[in-house]
Amino acid sequence: MACLLETPIRMSVLSEVTASSRHYVDRLFDPDPQKVLQGVIDMKNAVIGNNKQKANLIVLGAVPRLLYLLQQETSSTELKTECAVVLGSLAMGTENNVKSLLDCHIIPALLQGLLSPDLKFIEACLRCLRTIFTSPVTPEELLYTGPDHQTILFNHGAVQNIAHLLTSLSYKVRMQALKCFSVLAFENPQVSMTLVNVLVDGELLPQIFVKMLQRDKPIEMQLTSAKCLTYMCRAGAIRTDDNCIILKTLPCLVRMCSKERLLEERVEGAETLAYLIEPDVELQRIASITDHLIAMLADYFKYPSSVSAITDIKRLDHDLKHAHELRQAAFKLYASLGANDEDIRKKIIETENMMDRIVTGLSESSVKVRLAAVRCLHSLSRSVQQLRTSFQDHAVWKPLMKVLQNAPDEILVVASSMLCNLLLEFSPSKEPILESGAVELLCGLTQSENPALRVNGIWALMNMAFQAEQKIKADILRSLSTEQLFRLLSDSDLNVLMKTLGLLRNLLSTRPHIDKIMSTHGKQIMQAVTLILEGEHNIEVKEQTLCILANIADGTTAKELIMTNDDILQKIKYYMGHSHIKLQLAAMFCISNLIWNEEEGSQERQDKLRDMGIVDILHKLSQSPDSNLCDKAKTALQQYLA
């Protein structure tokens, strides 16, 4: 019986809680507009700082009624404004409150309110919108977030209307204007090119931004101004060698990485600097020698230290919860710093415990930290020297293989790209990676719906097959399957196709391997080659395909698959006379391998090719203005004379 009583008890508690709130909602339906207004004002006072009351009112259906009153033409402006204020207060409660407001379609109603001529009402709507959009549960696509939206704002005069606010007497207004410009300029060349030439009180906008990032300005202003200039630079509106970047923006962002700054300032400074220098080797070199930046970033991993200067307990608690953001930012900046320069990579790796920190980062619970750690490792793995030393000393391949077993696509893309580097022929990690089941894993990636993962899977297999033993090549072919290989050869992504051709070329190298593979897969490979040479493909694809044919022609028994295929022979002849030198040269390699007179059966092959008119083409090519093509043709003709 006790079990049966449980539900009624719960219901009575709920009714008791909501009864005290019901009269607030009931008053919203009063026929007297003045009483409705007073009811909304009383509701406003009741919900301030009271999450329980907010939840009760939402459960009782206050939100749809408030939205109705807010949108009614007969409602007074004062009533509409008070409704918007209450809705804003409800939005400041829990995330569930925000979800409830979104479910009632609050955003279109508030946006409509912005068309009102009354400033107080507009302000109340804007405050409510800001509260809703700063909540993590609000989908970003509900408002302006992408390039199309930046363009809409730009086309509606946002730049001109916001520019004069930079000279406002109010610091808050200046800051919001700055933030608007940083959002508008981000990855948008059209907006950025316009901003460069905007004048405010006779001064160009970049000059105003430079003034705002001087040391005597508030940190928030320095950082946001540096972001504006960074985004304009990355969008191509300001040159990377411009003084405002080298002498102002870059040093300002390095300053933000100092341990004297607050955690969020250090995070934002490092991430913005990483973005600024990412594509430019000269900026990377300048940043690496500014204020001992590489050593300074090492402090990001020691935070907060036992001797931390933070005395504010709340601040310390906040920073402990967000310390992973510092590690993420440091990895990002190290990745950008080491993207191109070998000396910088060496300095990064020689920074105290750096490799251990990266390896630890690969297994952190935060996906963002793992991703940043993998990116950092990928950047450093571009160094031949480091692949042979530090990467081997720390057995980096082990945690990397673990990451590849189960990770989101964004991590898989970078981790698999790095695996491509670890599988290069000179890398000591290649052998243990092969022994740990990499072939199966990579073949699995080639079946991904994500083109970047297919490319990386096949690229890594291509590197693995380079100068590999017959057993490894057989493992690749068995795990990949001929069906999947030919699916990849008809992939819509050009990069996938090119890397698959590269894999085939590496598989078909050294004569015993060529003959072995062609004896088991010859028919399908010749079929695929024919389809590609007949298809609408670019020069590079056809050149790779002809190089595969040249490798087949270098086999002892495999070359007969070409000689007995008149269709393929006619295609080789056609490409010998092609207008593009690359294709002529690749076709020439095929012919040279087929007619080489030191090999068995060369006389019969030479005779057949002569009957096809190949010798006449060789004579013509021996007069080519291209010295390389001319030499290859003369060498081939000598085989007929020997």
Side-chain angles (χ1 to χ4, degrees):
M1 292 296 288
C3 291
L4 295 172
L5 289 170
E6 191 172 7
T7 304
I9 287 172
R10 281 185 178 168
M11 286 175 69
S12 65
V13 170
L14 179 66
S15 58
E16 191 182 312
V17 168
T18 53
S20 62
S21 309
R22 189 176 298 282
H23 72 282
Y24 288 113
V25 179
D26 290 344
R27 289 166 72 189
L28 300 180
F29 293 87
D30 197 291
D32 182 345
Q34 204 53 42
K35 286 182 180 176
V36 173
L37 174 60
Q38 192 55 51
V40 175
I41 292 169
D42 291 345
M43 186 183 283
K44 174 181 73 176
N45 295 330
V47 297
I48 292 172
N50 189 335
N51 279 346
K52 194 175 181 182
Q53 187 70 280
K54 290 175 187 179
N56 286 343
L57 291 171
I58 289 171
V59 167
L60 290 167
V63 176
R65 183 62 183 173
L66 287 167
L67 285 171
Y68 172 80
L69 294 170
L70 181 135
Q71 294 174 89
Q72 278 301 295
E73 286 183 20
T74 53
S75 296
S76 67
T77 305
E78 189 183 359
L79 175 58
K80 289 180 179 180
T81 305
E82 292 295 347
C83 286
V85 170
V86 173
L87 289 165
S89 188
L90 294 176
M92 284 181 179
T94 64
E95 290 181 359
N96 281 334
N97 289 11
V98 177
K99 283 179 186 171
S100 299
L101 293 172
L102 291 171
D103 290 342
C104 293
H105 307 291
I106 188 172
I107 294 200
L110 292 171
L111 290 174
Q112 192 65 32
L114 300 182
L115 299 175
S116 164
D118 187 89
L119 283 177
K120 279 191 174 178
F121 178 45
I122 291 173
E123 187 182 344
C125 289
L126 283 171
R127 284 182 187 277
C128 187
L129 281 166
R130 184 180 64 180
T131 304
I132 290 167
F133 277 104
T134 51
S135 167
V137 299
T138 307
E140 287 181 352
E141 62 271 14
L142 286 173
L143 206 61
Y144 300 112
T145 52
D148 292 346
H149 297 135
Q150 289 171 317
T151 305
I152 291 167
L153 288 168
F154 173 75
N155 290 340
H156 281 78
V159 171
Q160 291 73 17
N161 284 310
I162 295 168
H164 74 278
L165 298 176
L166 289 170
T167 58
S168 167
L169 294 174
S170 163
Y171 170 76
K172 281 187 176 180
V173 171
R174 293 201 302 278
M175 271 313 305
Q176 293 309 321
L178 256 185
K179 287 177 180 176
C180 275
F181 280 130
S182 74
V183 171
L184 281 168
F186 183 64
E187 293 187 346
N188 195 313
Q190 183 189 17
V191 174
S192 294
M193 292 292 186
T194 304
L195 292 182
V196 170
N197 299 308
V198 169
L199 282 167
V200 181
D201 290 352
E203 216 173 359
L204 285 168
L205 213 48
Q207 293 169 340
I208 293 173
F209 291 153
V210 166
K211 282 184 177 176
M212 288 177 150
L213 54 72
Q214 288 172 355
R215 289 171 185 262
D216 62 338
K217 296 291 186 287
I219 295 298
E220 182 189 28
M221 184 173 275
Q222 289 184 47
L223 248 178
T224 313
S225 303
K227 283 170 89 168
C228 289
L229 290 163
T230 293
Y231 298 159
M232 289 162 73
C233 178
R234 281 298 306 266
I238 301 175
R239 289 167 56 97
T240 54
D241 58 358
D242 191 296
N243 281 348
C244 78
I245 297 297
I246 293 175
L247 302 179
K248 301 293 182 181
T249 309
L250 188 147
C252 170
L253 291 170
V254 173
R255 282 201 306 275
M256 296 302 143
C257 299
S258 156
K259 60 183 174 188
E260 278 73 48
R261 301 266 54 88
L262 292 173
L263 178 143
E264 45 268 46
E265 293 161 0
R266 295 169 79 186
V267 168
E268 208 170 338
E271 292 193 340
T272 307
L273 183 55
Y275 183 66
L276 173 65
I277 68 174
E278 188 180 25
D280 191 90
V281 66
E282 199 47 48
L283 287 180
Q284 289 157 14
R285 287 178 183 142
I286 294 167
S288 72
I289 56 169
T290 303
D291 292 351
H292 308 289
L293 177 64
I294 291 175
M296 195 194 297
L297 285 177
D299 288 332
Y300 278 45
F301 298 95
K302 304 171 189 171
Y303 188 87
S305 64
S306 54
V307 290
S308 175
I310 300 174
T311 52
D312 181 342
I313 296 300
K314 273 192 176 178
R315 181 80 217 177
L316 184 61
D317 183 55
H318 166 273
D319 285 6
L320 281 167
K321 286 175 183 167
H322 294 269
H324 67 278
E325 292 174 22
L326 276 175
R327 297 193 291 278
Q328 176 193 335
F331 284 139
K332 278 186 182 176
L333 185 44
Y334 276 137
S336 285
L337 284 165
N340 296 288
D341 189 283
E342 190 66 26
D343 290 336
I344 297 175
R345 289 187 196 119
K346 190 169 182 291
K347 278 185 196 168
I348 292 170
I349 284 172
E350 287 172 356
T351 303
E352 52 178 318
N353 305 323
M354 193 60 214
M355 291 304 289
D356 291 333
R357 282 172 178 151
I358 298 174
V359 168
T360 303
L362 294 176
S363 56
E364 281 216 24
S365 57
S366 163
V367 172
K368 288 181 176 179
V369 177
R370 291 209 306 275
L371 179 59
V374 173
R375 282 198 173 130
C376 182
L377 209 50
H378 182 237
S379 177
L380 300 175
S381 75
R382 296 186 182 120
S383 161
V384 174
Q385 179 62 30
Q386 300 309 331
L387 281 175
R388 285 180 168 153
T389 54
S390 304
F391 277 60
Q392 187 61 14
D393 296 342
H394 291 81
V396 165
W397 64 270
K398 285 183 182 175
L400 186 71
M401 288 298 288
K402 197 174 174 185
V403 167
L404 283 161
Q405 302 298 332
N406 184 24
D409 270 15
E410 56 182 343
I411 291 180
L412 276 180
V413 169
V414 188
S416 56
S417 184
M418 189 194 150
L419 195 62
C420 293
N421 292 347
L422 291 179
L423 285 167
L424 288 166
E425 172 255 344
F426 52 75
S427 167
S429 305
K430 184 173 182 177
E431 204 62 46
I433 289 172
L434 284 169
E435 290 166 6
S436 69
V439 175
E440 292 283 344
L441 188 146
L442 294 169
C443 289
L445 289 183
T446 69
Q447 297 179 34
S448 169
E449 289 181 13
N450 185 330
L453 286 177
R454 294 203 300 280
V455 169
N456 288 347
I458 207 75
W459 195 341
L461 290 170
M462 182 185 87
N463 288 350
M464 193 184 278
F466 181 72
Q467 295 184 352
E469 300 166 8
Q470 171 64 38
K471 181 188 176 300
I472 292 169
K473 292 182 179 180
D475 283 350
I476 292 171
L477 274 171
R478 185 174 57 253
S479 295
L480 192 61
S481 82
T482 45
E483 291 82 4
Q484 176 61 5
L485 184 65
F486 299 122
R487 266 197 294 274
L488 293 166
L489 286 171
S490 57
D491 200 288
S492 58
D493 189 287
L494 178 62
N495 289 325
V496 174
L497 173 56
M498 283 296 286
K499 292 294 178 275
T500 308
L501 291 170
L503 169 63
L504 255 182
R505 195 172 165 182
N506 286 350
L507 290 170
L508 294 166
S509 61
T510 73
R511 282 184 184 168
H513 298 177
I514 295 167
D515 291 334
K516 174 78 175 157
I517 290 169
M518 292 306 288
S519 69
T520 52
H521 300 89
K523 187 181 174 185
Q524 299 101 311
I525 289 173
M526 295 303 286
Q527 193 179 350
V529 165
T530 306
L531 284 170
I532 291 170
L533 291 177
E534 285 177 351
E536 293 292 320
H537 294 291
N538 66 24
I539 299 297
E540 283 70 27
V541 168
K542 296 205 169 180
E543 181 194 16
Q544 277 281 354
T545 309
L546 287 166
C547 287
I548 289 168
L549 270 182
N551 283 13
I552 295 168
D554 192 39
T556 305
T557 56
K559 54 169 54 85
E560 286 310 307
L561 286 163
I562 296 176
M563 291 307 300
T564 55
N565 189 326
D566 289 341
D567 187 22
I568 285 286
L569 288 173
Q570 286 299 331
K571 284 180 170 54
I572 294 170
K573 178 183 174 182
Y574 165 76
Y575 285 110
M576 284 178 76
H578 199 275
S579 59
H580 205 287
I581 296 285
K582 277 185 175 181
L583 297 182
Q584 288 180 289
L585 278 168
M588 278 291 308
F589 276 119
C590 296
I591 294 298
S592 296
N593 285 343
L594 290 172
I595 63 175
W596 208 253
N597 57 29
E598 292 172 8
E599 293 167 9
E600 193 181 330
S602 61
Q603 190 61 56
E604 291 85 348
R605 291 192 292 276
Q606 286 182 7
D607 292 345
K608 179 168 183 176
L609 293 171
R610 180 190 279 111
D611 294 343
M612 282 178 60
I614 296 293
V615 174
D616 296 337
I617 298 173
L618 288 174
H619 278 296
K620 197 182 290 183
L621 293 177
S622 67
Q623 307 301 313
S624 169
D626 183 90
S627 58
N628 203 358
L629 191 57
C630 171
D631 291 345
K632 293 282 184 292
K634 285 176 180 175
T635 304
L637 283 169
Q638 284 169 4
Q639 298 303 308
Y640 275 95
L641 301 171

